[in-house]
Amino acid sequence: MSLCGVASWLGRCGSAFSDDHIALVESLLPSLGISRASYGLPVGYDAFNVPTPGGLLRQLGFVRRPVVLAVERIGDATVEVRDRDGFREMVARENGTELVWTRASLRDPSESGWPYIELFHLAAIQAKARRRALFVGSGGAVALRQFARTYPGLAMDLVEREARVIDLARAWYDLDEIPGLTIHIADGAGFAERAAPSSWDIAVIDAFDASDSTEALRQPLFFSALHRSLRCGGALAVNVIGTLDGHGPVRDIAKCLARSFQRVRVVPVMEADEEYSPSALRNVVLIASKGEQ
């Protein structure tokens, strides 16, 4: 009996349930419980809590200036969580520059407004199975929410180097509300190298920045470890900020992927009305698949 059939029975009208019908539903409950535990149900997310005072005015759009919620010193950067223009942002400031690490909509925290997040699903589509996924890089966990909602029952391992980033995500991005999530405080490259073979069906890497701290994630050893730790038929998505002119991180990571993976694809993020410029700095998502043998 399908769950839909049970739901239609429970919603029937015109006559009462017979004793036989009630007994049948009761007999199905253990199986339904196993199905729920194995596959999950569609996931929804509540809007973020917007602190008072002025929270309602901010949600209605009457307060335009950023509202700073938290400030942390992480390495050489000052990291700030702020609400601005309907989004909750995590921003890093270092040497006079500002980089928005992540942002999530206050109304729907599974949306960021950044289209590169949706491109991660290309890896999930290519993967032959969707049982377990690895995410390197936390931020506001928008991709994690999307995957939990789109692929019910997916188990996810999140690897984040900085414990204080996880603390901020728990406090301000409801990280612990995401089902199926296990959090690991570790270096992403080292974690992948220590992982058992065939651990994941999908891997999503969203941890690159301009600093030397992510240099290990740019090396062939890291992508070789990812290849080993993916199951046959698995797939990988990597977000990179770079250009398409044949220089820099996009070229370097594409070469690393091509050494181990099949069907490496480069997917640049462009606006519909944007004039193509290979030297323009942009998000580029690289998708790679592991063979089935």
Side-chain angles (χ1 to χ4, degrees):
M1 177 64 68
S2 69
L3 181 57
C4 291
V6 173
S8 64
W9 277 19
L10 296 177
R12 68 185 292 188
C13 60
S15 62
F17 290 111
S18 69
D19 290 341
D20 288 343
H21 290 163
I22 294 173
L24 178 59
V25 172
E26 289 176 342
S27 70
L28 290 172
L29 289 177
S31 297
L32 291 175
I34 293 173
S35 298
R36 172 64 179 89
S38 300
Y39 299 102
L41 290 174
V43 178
Y45 299 103
D46 295 329
F48 282 141
N49 177 47
V50 179
T52 54
L56 178 60
L57 292 178
R58 285 200 295 274
Q59 291 188 60
L60 294 176
F62 292 109
V63 178
R64 296 295 183 183
R65 65 181 183 276
V67 178
V68 177
L69 305 174
V71 178
E72 283 275 358
R73 186 71 179 177
I74 300 178
D76 295 329
T78 299
V79 179
E80 177 182 285
V81 177
R82 69 189 183 193
D83 287 349
R84 184 179 68 159
D85 297 335
F87 290 91
R88 181 156 295 171
E89 299 177 329
M90 191 181 297
V91 184
R93 292 192 178 89
E94 185 177 357
N95 299 325
T97 62
E98 178 180 291
L99 177 65
V100 180
W101 277 356
T102 188
R103 70 173 185 169
S105 169
L106 293 173
R107 295 182 181 275
D108 181 358
S110 65
E111 298 294 334
S112 75
W114 289 346
Y116 84 86
I117 299 289
E118 279 70 33
L119 293 177
F120 292 154
H121 293 272
L122 294 174
I125 291 169
Q126 287 199 17
K128 298 301 181 182
R130 290 185 286 270
R131 293 161 291 184
R132 194 171 197 93
L134 169 70
F135 288 78
V136 178
S138 169
V142 173
L144 292 159
R145 287 189 183 84
Q146 288 191 8
F147 271 62
R149 182 181 62 192
T150 307
Y151 317 110
L154 177 70
M156 298 182 291
D157 290 293
L158 168 62
V159 181
E160 170 57 52
R161 184 181 67 245
E162 295 289 349
R164 281 172 290 182
V165 171
I166 293 295
D167 292 340
L168 290 173
R170 281 179 157 142
W172 299 107
Y173 291 89
D174 298 339
L175 185 65
D176 292 325
E177 301 301 316
I178 300 174
L181 181 62
T182 302
I183 299 169
H184 309 268
I185 307 298
D187 171 73
F191 189 86
E193 291 166 16
R194 294 188 299 271
S198 302
S199 293
W200 300 286
D201 302 292
I202 304 162
V204 175
I205 314 302
D206 190 16
F208 290 102
D209 57 34
S211 70
D212 295 335
S213 62
T214 59
E215 182 62 29
L217 301 182
R218 308 171 193 265
Q219 302 303 316
L221 182 62
F222 173 57
F223 293 102
S224 175
L226 287 175
H227 183 271
R228 178 182 54 79
S229 64
L230 282 176
R231 297 181 178 120
C232 292
L236 166 73
V238 185
N239 175 49
V240 184
I241 299 176
T243 64
L244 300 174
D245 57 6
H247 303 281
V250 175
R251 177 203 60 183
D252 296 343
I253 291 173
K255 286 183 176 180
C256 288
L257 289 171
R259 295 179 183 179
S260 302
F261 288 87
Q262 290 74 46
R263 296 194 305 273
V264 178
R265 298 292 183 264
V266 178
V267 187
V269 177
M270 296 180 61
E271 300 292 338
D273 58 352
E274 179 181 347
E275 183 176 349
Y276 173 69
S277 172
S279 60
L281 199 64
R282 66 179 78 249
N283 285 96
V284 180
V285 177
L286 294 95
I287 308 295
S289 301
K290 180 176 180 177
E292 297 186 56
Q293 298 297 326

